[in-house]
Amino acid sequence: MSTDIEVKPNLFGQLAPPQRSGLFGFSLGQSVALVPIVLVVITLLAFQYFLLAAGLVAVSIVAFALVKINRKDGRNIYGRIMLRRAQKHKEKKDQHFYLAGPTGKGTPDGKTRLPGLMARSELSEHVDSFGEPFGLIRVSGNGVHNYSVVFETHPAGEDLIDADQMQHRIALWAAWLTQRGADEGIRGASVTIESSPDSGLRLRSLIQNNRAADSPEFARIVTNQIESSFQGGAPQLVARISVTFSGRRVDGQAGDRGTVEMAEEIATRVPTIRAELAGTGAGAVKSCTAQQITDFTRVAYDPTVANTVEEMQSDGGTGLLWEDAGPSFHHDGFDLYRHDRAVSKSWTMWKGPSGHFTADSLKRVLEPLPGVLRKRVTLLYRPIPADQTTKVVDQEQNDARFAGSQSRNSARARQRQMAAQKTASEEAMGAGLTRFGLILTITASDFEDFSKWDRKVPGLFSRAKLRVRPALANQAVTFQAGLPLGLVLPDHMLIPEEVRMMF
């Protein structure tokens, strides 16, 4: 009798981003833009301006055809032109260059604060209801009032994990995200996996601090060989999770509730959020203190000081302040980001999985890369509040039916309708909805290293069926959004999300 057991992989799919469909395969916003053109053409025909009407129709056909053709990485020709113009505008106003420190500009106190959207951020430390300290990052300005906490986790990986156990972990992680949508005032969450070369300081400290004075000669020889042979051989992996809360006033008026009031509320919620990560594969979870947040942020902007920071941490602490965590210099180029003594490039997801994928689809993406100072993969989540999920799924069902009526024989249209129906059924049973994105950032010592990564990075996502593209004209912002600091980019955009979805 055969004892072989067939283990089927866990398959996931049917992911559909919210979108608004229009006529003839265009988006709703593009279809609305056709209305005034049609009215002008009708008016010209009524006054017998046939040549002008024909010319306007020809120009309109070419203009709208360019929306569909000549696409590269999901961007049409208009999008690429706007990116170039945005970069030139930024360079013209000298906004692409940042110089801080005693000889810097814009920082009269000589500090090296974080640039960009985090320039006005504040970091404080508080104690939760279990007596554990946690750092609280406050980001305000332009109508944004967000507060973020960071957790450091120690996942054990997928080795020696049964398929049933893996399924259980995935279910608990889905429940964790669903609960964030049910919680009041959650703006977003992120998971960051960062890999870097190991300095060997931890191994050296472990051996030296545990070596007995009367140990045998053979044991000393073996430990000495281990210390000299294996230091810096394996990459160092760090996982962090951030959760961002809204600090808007609950009485409906504009303004911020303030750090004191938000710290008191978040202090009671942090232990629950931390405890709910148990069983998800996150391993031991601990809140990051303000000093830990400052230290890893400083290392992100200047990886060459990583060994120094690690040595100081083991010798009583770095003593760095939040005002000193940023770079002393950065240059925000069109496709590269130069900061202090390093160069970084970020890629963002522009298209989600087009089919089914498995639980280990991102394994290649998360693996350390040789020859780089740092690699950071950040999954961004924006749970949709529970009181809005029904509206979202109903809208998606209506749009899917409308898109299907425009192309009755389209397999993709039928698949979208089935996915919308399945999503609505699961939402009615209590499932949550979450928007997600992904940022991959590679930091190297020389910009010439990116010539090969430009070719290799898209292939890393082939198994996950994700499509990524360079964050053109937005490298500095994307680099910052990829850090586990709780930055929610949609909150900082000038155009409301409802309008962006139309296009």
Side-chain angles (χ1 to χ4, degrees):
M1 182 178 66
S2 175
T3 58
D4 294 339
I5 299 177
E6 182 182 0
V7 179
K8 296 182 179 180
N10 298 316
L11 293 178
F12 307 91
Q14 303 292 345
L15 302 181
Q19 53 184 324
R20 305 296 297 274
S21 302
L23 300 171
F24 311 115
F26 292 100
S27 65
L28 179 61
Q30 295 164 354
S31 300
V32 172
L34 283 171
V35 175
I37 297 176
V38 173
L39 294 177
V40 172
V41 170
I42 294 175
T43 303
L44 292 175
L45 292 175
F47 287 95
Q48 298 184 354
Y49 294 110
F50 300 110
L51 291 179
L52 287 177
L56 180 58
V57 170
V59 171
S60 300
I61 291 175
V62 172
F64 277 87
L66 291 176
V67 174
K68 288 294 184 180
I69 64 176
N70 196 21
R71 301 179 72 90
K72 183 179 180 181
D73 291 337
R75 298 186 181 101
N76 55 44
I77 188 172
Y78 303 113
R80 298 199 297 273
I81 291 175
M82 290 302 296
L83 288 176
R84 291 287 181 182
R85 293 189 61 182
Q87 181 66 22
K88 290 182 178 179
H89 178 75
K90 184 166 51 179
E91 293 176 355
K92 185 177 180 180
K93 290 193 171 184
D94 205 23
Q95 295 177 345
H96 68 302
F97 186 76
Y98 174 77
L99 187 63
T103 61
K105 57 179 181 179
T107 54
D109 55 359
K111 302 294 184 180
T112 54
R113 292 181 175 83
L114 271 66
L117 299 177
M118 299 290 293
R120 300 179 60 182
S121 62
E122 301 173 4
L123 178 63
S124 56
E125 186 165 307
H126 309 272
V127 179
D128 63 26
S129 56
F130 281 14
E132 297 288 337
F134 69 93
L136 184 62
I137 306 171
R138 177 177 181 262
V139 178
S140 61
N142 298 325
V144 177
H145 310 286
N146 290 343
Y147 294 79
S148 303
V149 294
V150 185
F151 304 94
E152 183 167 318
T153 69
H154 299 84
E158 62 174 357
D159 294 340
L160 303 178
I161 300 298
D162 295 335
D164 292 342
Q165 181 65 22
M166 179 65 71
Q167 180 73 10
H168 182 65
R169 289 183 175 184
I170 294 172
L172 289 178
W173 174 247
W176 190 87
L177 290 175
T178 300
Q179 186 59 41
R180 301 292 74 77
D183 290 347
E184 184 70 24
I186 298 291
R187 294 300 304 161
S190 70
V191 179
T192 302
I193 307 295
E194 187 177 57
S195 60
S196 60
D198 194 352
S199 63
L201 294 174
R202 291 179 300 168
L203 176 61
R204 189 184 314 144
S205 177
L206 179 66
I207 293 176
Q208 293 177 356
N209 294 336
N210 293 276
R211 180 178 290 165
D214 56 347
S215 61
E217 180 67 21
F218 178 75
R220 288 198 297 270
I221 294 175
V222 172
T223 54
N224 289 335
Q225 288 181 349
I226 293 175
E227 182 179 353
S228 60
S229 301
F230 292 96
Q231 65 172 358
Q236 181 178 359
L237 294 175
V238 180
R240 297 185 178 96
I241 298 175
S242 69
V243 180
T244 302
F245 304 81
S246 174
R248 293 181 180 274
R249 295 178 57 174
V250 295
D251 56 3
Q253 299 183 11
D256 193 345
R257 296 168 60 184
T259 302
V260 175
E261 181 179 347
M262 288 300 300
E264 291 178 356
E265 177 183 331
I266 294 174
T268 62
R269 302 171 68 175
V270 164
T272 303
I273 295 175
R274 190 171 55 219
E276 289 174 347
L277 288 170
T280 62
V285 181
K286 191 173 183 179
S287 303
C288 289
T289 64
Q291 189 63 65
Q292 290 173 328
I293 295 173
T294 302
D295 292 346
F296 73 66
T297 303
R298 181 71 193 101
V299 172
Y301 278 99
D302 189 1
T304 61
V305 303
N307 292 351
T308 304
V309 169
E310 191 172 348
E311 289 177 352
M312 296 178 68
Q313 287 175 338
S314 62
D315 193 26
T318 62
L320 287 171
L321 300 177
W322 184 242
E323 292 79 10
D324 301 320
S328 58
F329 153 83
H330 93 185
H331 181 274
D332 185 13
F334 183 69
D335 59 350
L336 287 177
Y337 179 47
R338 295 173 173 84
H339 48 96
D340 283 353
R341 288 164 285 189
V343 185
S344 296
K345 185 168 185 175
S346 298
W347 291 260
T348 59
M349 184 190 81
W350 64 271
K351 186 177 182 181
S354 56
H356 291 88
F357 55 94
T358 59
D360 59 349
S361 297
L362 290 176
K363 186 175 181 179
R364 287 188 62 195
V365 181
L366 299 177
E367 290 177 347
L369 295 179
V372 301
L373 295 176
R374 246 166 178 76
K375 192 196 74 170
R376 188 165 47 253
V377 180
T378 300
L379 288 165
L380 306 171
Y381 299 97
R382 281 197 298 136
I384 298 176
D387 58 349
Q388 299 179 17
T389 55
T390 302
K391 177 182 177 181
V392 172
V393 296
D394 289 345
Q395 182 65 58
E396 174 60 19
Q397 282 187 296
N398 294 333
D399 285 338
R401 284 194 293 266
F402 180 79
S405 66
Q406 299 295 309
S407 53
R408 299 182 183 277
N409 297 323
S410 173
R412 289 187 178 274
R414 293 194 299 271
Q415 185 179 15
R416 182 184 175 188
Q417 292 182 54
M418 291 188 296
Q421 180 61 41
K422 184 178 180 180
T423 301
S425 301
E426 294 177 350
E427 188 275 336
M429 297 175 62
L433 298 179
T434 302
R435 295 182 176 92
F436 71 95
L438 184 144
I439 297 174
L440 169 63
T441 301
I442 294 178
T443 301
S445 56
D446 193 345
F447 71 93
E448 294 181 355
D449 296 339
F450 291 99
S451 58
K452 64 177 180 179
W453 297 123
D454 286 331
R455 300 187 302 269
K456 292 183 179 181
V457 164
L460 298 177
F461 294 87
S462 58
R463 186 176 179 183
K465 299 181 180 180
L466 294 176
R467 304 291 294 275
V468 298
R469 63 189 180 191
L472 301 180
N474 288 287
Q475 284 292 322
V477 174
T478 308
F479 178 91
Q480 206 166 76
L483 295 173
L485 301 178
L487 189 62
V488 182
L489 290 182
D491 290 349
H492 298 267
M493 294 184 178
L494 298 177
I495 302 177
E497 185 174 5
E498 293 76 10
V499 178
R500 296 199 307 271
M501 285 177 56
M502 295 175 59
F503 292 90

